[in-house]
Amino acid sequence: ENLEGYVLRVGVQGGGCAGLSYTLGFDKNVSDTDSVFEEFGIKIVCDNKSGLYLSGATLDYAKDLMGGGFKFINPNVKSTCGCGSSFSM
């Protein structure tokens, strides 16, 4: 969809079996303390605290037989939970 005025917000929040989980969604609010990037014409926003956990990480979109989805590839992660929805550093 063409969501005029929205950015893609990525982040990290506490929770999940391993302690931390990724967040991903659309947002209309951008703070002065947010880091703003642009890739392929898409504005991506990250708060500074989450940026500490996401430094060096990439976000990829993958399709397989079960469908498709976004995948965080984060070299800082030390372990993940069994279901793969949370991580620890």
Side-chain angles (χ1 to χ4, degrees):
E1 294 181 33
N2 187 11
L3 298 173
E4 197 65 38
Y6 282 83
V7 296
L8 180 63
R9 180 170 292 278
V10 296
V12 173
Q13 67 182 13
C17 333
L20 298 168
S21 60
Y22 297 111
T23 61
L24 181 66
F26 293 103
D27 196 350
K28 212 169 188 172
N29 302 312
V30 178
S31 168
D32 290 339
T33 60
D34 286 334
S35 296
V36 181
F37 309 91
E38 189 163 337
E39 193 71 33
F40 302 108
I42 300 169
K43 283 191 179 177
I44 303 164
V45 176
C46 179
D47 66 89
N48 287 335
K49 185 177 178 184
S50 293
L52 297 172
Y53 297 104
L54 295 172
S55 179
T58 58
L59 179 62
D60 193 17
Y61 184 83
K63 285 182 111 175
D64 59 22
L65 294 174
M66 301 297 286
F70 288 98
K71 178 180 180 181
F72 285 88
I73 303 160
N74 191 340
N76 305 308
V77 170
K78 300 293 183 219
S79 65
T80 60
C81 66
C83 63
S85 64
S86 65
F87 65 96
S88 66
M89 298 182 92

